[in-house]
Every structure is written in structure tokens, then in C-alpha cells.
């Protein structure tokens, strides 16, 4: 089955002067939130690679405010787990959900060489993708599960979190919601597993979730 990702364009270009008042930025947010682009996995890879100069700028930048601006405004966002109608904040997230693919996204801390961490992550047969995070501080890990119920997504996130922690990885962030978009990532030498096996949640995993 073809993997489809839901991508939201960057809010602004690097040379855009943002209004001082946060309320005056509403038109920029509305344009960004309301125009998702549906991409195949290969299309997403090419799209992410096209932003490589921005990733390099972010990873080399020492100024915190500038880094936050790049992350928040100058790089696109992606929802790996679901296809959404938009990125608006709905009172009920199911109203925003078009389809769900069972992918769990975790970010582990990059506390070793990227190549070695990707090598370790490749030992998990359910890991279908691993890449350096946008800011270079972590590794984004996409795990394919056999879950097709959005209501069970958080349970799979919790179980996989425990599995990676038991394997010696430190979790930087995890997203229990299947409708949250995050900053896109890219790294040369990213791991792509076309022969993955889906992760299955079983009673043994459930017993590890407190």
C-alpha cells in the first residue's frame, strides 16, 4: 500500500518580515493551515531534500530566536500518521481526520553518530524510516504498526516508546495524537526500509504500559 503523507507549506520565506502582533499573523497561519498537500513517500523525500539548505542553516545557527523562527515559520510541517482536511484546531480531532495509516512517529535523542544510530534503528523490522531531525538534535523514527483504529494510536505510541527505551534509546519527543503535524526532516543517508514488517501490539506490550 502506497504511503501518503500530509504536508503543510511553510508559513513564510526567510526574508519575510513578520508582524509584531501575533494576531496580525492570522492570515499567514490560515494560508498555511488550510492548504495541505498529499504526497507519496518518494515525493516527500524529494520535497524534503529541496529544503536541505534551510536544514543546514538551522543546524549551524547558534541564535535561539533565529532557530525557533526557522522551525516555526520557514520549514513545512508534515503529519506522518494521517491525512487531514487541514491543520486547524478542531474541538474533535476526528472531524479533521480523512484517513489513518498506522504510522507511529518518535524522536530519539542523537547522542551518538547519526550513521551508527540509524544502523541500530535498522535492526527493528517495523522501522520504515529514520532521519536526522530538522534541528539536528534528534533522529525521527517512523514505525509501521498494524493499527487501523485512530483511537488505539496512543497505546501503540506508548508501547513503542518502551521498546526503544529498553533498547537504550532516549526519547526526545513522542506524539500520542495521530493528527499532529511536525516540522519536516531530512538527512543524507536516511534509512528507508521497503521490506518492513508491521508492529503488532500484544498483551506482553500492554503489560509494560503504566
Amino acid at each position: 500500500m502506497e504511503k501518503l503523507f500530509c504536508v503543510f507549506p511553510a508559513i513564510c520565506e526567510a526574508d519575510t518580515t513578520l508582524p509584531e502582533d501575533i494576531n496580525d499573523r492570522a492570515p499567514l497561519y490560515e494560508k498555511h493551515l488550510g492548504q495541505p498537500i498529499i504526497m507519496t513517500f518518494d515525493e516527500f523525500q524529494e520535497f524534503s531534500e529541496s529544503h536541505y539548505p534551510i536544514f543546514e542553516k538551522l543546524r549551524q545557527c547558534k541564535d535561539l530566536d533565529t532557530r525557533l523562527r526557522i522551525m516555526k515559520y520557514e520549514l513545512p510541517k508534515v503529519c506522518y500518521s494521517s491525512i487531514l482536511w487541514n491543520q486547524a484546531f478542531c474541538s474533535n480531532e476526528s472531524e479533521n481526520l480523512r484517513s489513518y495509516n498506522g504510522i507511529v512517529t518518535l524522536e530519539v535523542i542523537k547522542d551518538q553518530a547519526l550513521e551508527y544510530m540509524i544502523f541500530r534503528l535498522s535492526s527493528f523490522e517495523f522501522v520504515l524510516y529514520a532521519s536526522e531531525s530538522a534541528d539536528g538534535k534528534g533522529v525521527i523514527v517512523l514505525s509501521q504498526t498494524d493499527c487501523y483504529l485512530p483511537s488505539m494510536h496512543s497505546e501503540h505510541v506508548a508501547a513503542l516508546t518502551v521498546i526503544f527505551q529498553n533498547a537504550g534509546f532516549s526519547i526526545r519527543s513522542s506524539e500520542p495524537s495521530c493528527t499532529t503535524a511536525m516540522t519536516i526532516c531530512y538527512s543524507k543517508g536516511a534509512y528507508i526500509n521497503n521490506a518492513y514488517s508491521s508492529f503488532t501490539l500484544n498483551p506482553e506490550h500492554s503489560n509494560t504500559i503504566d
Side-chain angles (χ1 to χ4, degrees), residues 146 152 155-156 159 199-203 205-206 209:
D146 62 4
M152 290 292 294
E155 283 83 351
H156 286 73
F199 170 80
T200 298
L201 185 66
N202 57 45
H205 297 130
S206 299
I209 303 172

Side-chain angles (χ1 to χ4, degrees), residues 5-144:
F5 296 148
C6 188
V7 178
F8 296 87
I11 292 177
C12 68
E13 302 293 336
D15 58 355
T16 301
T17 300
L18 294 169
E20 291 293 332
D21 190 331
I22 193 69
N23 295 319
D24 293 335
R25 300 179 187 179
L28 291 173
Y29 283 107
E30 290 172 1
K31 180 180 179 181
H32 165 77
L33 300 177
Q35 299 180 356
I37 305 168
I38 311 306
M39 296 185 182
T40 65
F41 189 87
D42 289 341
E43 290 170 339
F44 176 72
Q45 278 291 97
E46 293 179 6
F47 178 77
S48 298
E49 184 177 8
S50 71
H51 291 78
Y52 188 71
I54 304 179
F55 291 125
E56 285 295 282
K57 173 185 172 183
L58 171 62
R59 292 164 183 168
Q60 295 173 11
C61 179
K62 303 299 183 183
D63 181 72
L64 179 59
D65 290 339
T66 303
R67 289 170 62 87
L68 290 175
R69 176 194 161 100
I70 296 172
M71 288 280 289
K72 188 172 183 179
Y73 295 106
E74 298 177 23
L75 282 170
K77 302 292 187 293
V78 58
C79 181
Y80 292 110
S81 303
S82 305
I83 302 300
L84 310 175
W85 292 110
N86 53 52
Q87 201 188 337
F89 297 99
C90 301
S91 57
N92 184 348
E93 70 176 20
S94 63
E95 297 174 1
N96 197 23
L97 184 65
R98 293 170 61 182
S99 64
Y100 171 67
N101 60 26
I103 292 176
V104 166
T105 306
L106 296 174
E107 181 180 359
V108 299
I109 295 174
K110 195 182 74 174
D111 51 10
Q112 296 172 307
L114 177 64
E115 294 78 7
Y116 180 62
M117 294 196 68
I118 287 180
F119 170 74
R120 291 174 60 200
L121 290 164
S122 69
S123 66
F124 295 95
E125 59 185 11
F126 49 76
V127 171
L128 61 90
Y129 181 73
S131 172
E132 189 173 20
S133 63
D135 64 0
K137 303 293 186 182
V139 179
I140 302 298
V141 185
L142 305 187
S143 299
Q144 182 64 61

